[in-house]
Amino acid sequence: MSSWHQPVMAREVLDFLDPRNAGFFLDGTVGGGGHTRAILEACSDCRVLAVDRDPEALAEARDALAPFRARVRFLAGRFDRAPRDPEVRDRGLDGALLDLGVSSYQLDADARGFTFRPGAPLDMRMEADGRDALTLLAEASEEELARIFRDYGEEPRARRLAREIIKRRTSGGVCTSDDLVAALAVSLGRAPSQQDKARIFQAVRIAVNEEMEALEAGLPAIRDVMNAGGVLVVIAYHSLEDRAVKNAFREWSRTCVCPPESPVCTCRGEPLGETLTRKVVRPSQEEVARNPRARSALLRAWRRAA
Ligand SMILES: C[S@@+](CC[C@H](N)C(=O)[O-])C[C@H]1O[C@@H](n2cnc3c(N)ncnc32)[C@H](O)[C@@H]1O
């Protein structure tokens, strides 16, 4: 198994996607290519469009999936743009996977600036362009910072942390992982635990990469290019992402979407599909023991109506 990234809940993903020959699948977050490989191995005549916004991930996936090169095509960019791809528009998708968040490689490569390990830079961009974490922490208003820490980090002292970051701008700013951890320590009034650090760094990462925006745009766009019977599987690692997925799947599975005050049903009256996961699916204990980074994974699946 590659140390770049171990695919999470690969068995469950295959059970839901049920890849068949002649099928065309989207892996919107190919990372190290583990899930794409599993799909390609499950059927000898299916194809995958493998997308990632991180050029280093795409290069790794291209290498790892070289034996399958005739059946996989790589596309750089955000998954919410994949539905505009001409082949996707022509053929439609027989299944799609979004395995959200970051890969082990991104977290482990200090130079990428995702980590709270001491002395690391603050970057956190999955793509080469855009506002990095350093710039966000140097330029965002107190309101924006407080919202990021509250909404994405579920930090009860979000406002205090935002204020501490603004205060530090007059004395050198927040330039490294140590500076952000030090600001967090002041706002908490104690040494932050590993979990405290992980929550706050994850919150900044979600904001830097506009991850919620990509998910909110991507879900309906991908739904609209799914063929009848095609399944969309999403693995989230954050409660906010999981809530967005759960609400979208519930909304698309409703029979009637008229406003409650409507006296008669004037909508299509047909659900767009069905949610296949009544309850969120979590990794087994064995998987978490083998791969501790799987522990926060939350999987949901939805099938387009036939
Ligand atoms: C958890 S990893 C995926 C791992 C992959 N399933 C595997 O088996 O190796 C998430 C990957 O998705 C990419 N990513 C995150 N958000 C994305 C988005 N909105 N569009 C495209 N790629 C994204 C990240 O760069 C990262 O490589």
Side-chain angles (χ1 to χ4, degrees):
M1 182 71 60
S2 151
S3 62
W4 213 87
H5 185 85
Q6 288 189 44
V8 169
M9 285 194 274
R11 179 73 264 145
E12 292 83 347
V13 167
L14 284 187
D15 285 349
F16 283 114
L17 285 183
D18 192 17
R20 305 267 169 98
N21 277 340
F24 181 42
F25 295 86
L26 168 70
D27 184 346
T29 51
V30 67
H35 286 113
T36 288
R37 171 183 285 272
I39 294 169
L40 291 165
E41 281 175 348
C43 43
S44 57
D45 187 28
C46 57
R47 296 190 62 241
V48 175
L49 176 64
V51 176
D52 205 293
R53 62 193 293 188
D54 184 336
E56 288 188 22
L58 266 193
E60 170 67 22
R62 210 175 251 124
D63 274 0
L65 298 168
F68 301 92
R69 76 170 69 84
R71 295 196 287 130
V72 59
R73 181 160 63 86
F74 297 95
L75 184 65
R78 274 171 44 166
F79 57 63
D80 51 305
R81 309 209 177 114
R84 296 186 211 156
D85 175 79
E87 188 182 2
V88 172
R89 281 211 310 261
D90 276 4
R91 288 187 63 171
L93 295 170
D94 299 303
L97 169 68
L98 303 179
D99 178 21
L100 302 172
V102 280
S103 64
S104 299
Y105 166 77
Q106 288 163 322
L107 283 174
D108 292 342
D110 282 10
R112 297 296 306 268
F114 287 97
T115 180
F116 53 77
R117 279 190 293 279
L122 292 167
D123 188 325
M124 304 197 191
R125 287 170 303 170
M126 294 182 193
E127 282 154 307
D129 50 2
R131 178 168 73 158
D132 62 8
L134 186 77
T135 312
L136 182 139
L137 293 167
E139 293 179 356
S141 67
E142 186 179 316
E143 281 65 37
E144 187 182 357
L145 289 173
R147 183 189 62 76
I148 290 167
F149 298 136
R150 188 186 55 243
D151 292 357
Y152 301 157
E154 294 169 39
E155 173 53 56
R157 297 176 191 211
R159 175 66 65 169
R160 204 182 289 185
L161 176 55
R163 233 178 268 137
E164 179 60 27
I165 288 170
I166 303 273
K167 193 170 132 201
R168 283 169 182 253
R169 286 180 186 164
T170 53
S171 56
V174 174
C175 301
T176 65
S177 56
D178 308 282
D179 299 331
L180 184 52
V181 170
L184 179 59
V186 171
S187 71
L188 293 175
R190 59 172 168 78
S193 65
Q194 297 290 97
Q195 285 85 350
D196 294 325
K197 294 184 218 172
R199 272 186 308 110
I200 294 306
F201 277 66
Q202 184 185 43
V204 175
R205 188 205 83 211
I206 290 173
V208 162
N209 294 290
E210 300 180 339
E211 293 176 37
M212 288 308 298
E213 290 83 347
L215 181 61
E216 302 274 3
L219 289 173
I222 292 169
R223 175 202 65 196
D224 289 345
V225 290
M226 300 288 294
N227 293 328
V231 172
L232 168 59
V233 177
V234 185
I235 307 176
Y237 298 85
H238 189 284
S239 59
L240 202 62
E241 287 170 344
D242 180 57
R243 204 174 316 139
V245 176
K246 178 173 144 188
N247 290 341
F249 286 3
R250 183 191 291 150
E251 181 61 27
W252 307 346
S253 305
R254 281 171 55 191
T255 306
C256 173
V257 293
C258 292
E261 62 277 13
S262 286
V264 289
C265 173
T266 54
C267 73
R268 60 182 184 269
E270 294 276 345
L272 294 169
E274 67 174 311
T275 302
L276 301 177
T277 43
R278 294 187 84 77
K279 280 183 158 179
V280 72
V281 178
R282 294 170 190 274
S284 66
Q285 286 180 353
E286 293 74 36
E287 176 165 4
V288 175
R290 208 179 345 107
N291 178 15
R293 284 188 174 152
R295 67 185 172 281
S296 52
L298 302 162
L299 181 151
R300 295 185 190 271
W302 180 85
R303 181 163 51 214
R304 175 104 212 178

